[in-house]
Amino acid sequence: MGDMRVQARTRLVVAAVAVGVVGAGLGIRVVAGGDVAKYGGVGLYAVLVYVLAVLAAPRVRPVVAGVGAFAFSCAVELLQLSGVTEGPAERSVIVRLVLGSTFNAPDLLWYAIGAAVAASAHTWVSGRRTARERRPGAQRAAVGGRWRGP
């Protein structure tokens, strides 16, 4: 029962982070222009894919989620080479934001940077949580998943 609560709480926090990332992605175009807005948005796209992976699987390791976010982002970018996204992207702003319209090789670098930043932040937050759980007086998980007192 406690594990389900932790996963539910994790999903709630991650959902809030996803909303923040979408807000940052839309806001960067208002605040900045040119390459900063373009490549910042590209990096945030990979961060959002990462966050959605963690939302779907809260126990995923940061490296696995990072590689998955990078691979998915690259796949979407490479899909643009086929021209499949071109028509729908012209008709819908949402499709253009999600799938893009034209291939741009530098985007691949920014996807890697976004996924790496997201994985690093996830690792840092996980490490802080683990350290907090190890504090004197805190509950500790024993081998086998059983809880023991301080």
Side-chain angles (χ1 to χ4, degrees), residues 50 59-67 115 118-120 122-123 126:
Y50 182 97
R59 292 176 169 232
V60 67
R61 290 182 303 144
V63 170
V64 173
V67 169
S120 297
H122 186 187
T123 300
S126 296

Side-chain angles (χ1 to χ4, degrees), residues 21 27 34 58 63 65 67-68 80 85 88 92 107 130 146:
V21 171
V63 170
V67 169
Q80 295 168 4
T85 62
S92 170
D107 287 357
T130 303
R146 296 179 187 227

Side-chain angles (χ1 to χ4, degrees), residues 76 79-90 95 99-102:
V76 169
L79 183 64
Q80 295 168 4
L81 281 173
S82 70
V84 171
T85 62
E86 209 170 287
E90 289 175 3
V95 171
L99 297 179
S101 58
T102 55

Side-chain angles (χ1 to χ4, degrees), residues 9-92:
R9 185 175 48 231
T10 299
R11 281 195 167 112
L12 187 61
V13 170
V14 172
V17 170
V19 170
V21 171
V22 169
L26 296 173
I28 197 167
R29 293 202 177 263
V30 173
V31 176
D35 287 345
V36 171
K38 179 179 179 4
Y39 294 118
V42 169
L44 286 169
Y45 180 89
V47 171
L48 180 61
V49 172
Y50 182 97
V51 170
L52 294 175
V54 174
L55 185 63
R59 292 176 169 232
V60 67
R61 290 182 303 144
V63 170
V64 173
V67 169
F70 175 66
F72 179 86
S73 300
C74 287
V76 169
E77 190 70 25
L78 293 172
L79 183 64
Q80 295 168 4
L81 281 173
S82 70
V84 171
T85 62
E86 209 170 287
E90 289 175 3
R91 292 187 295 275
S92 170

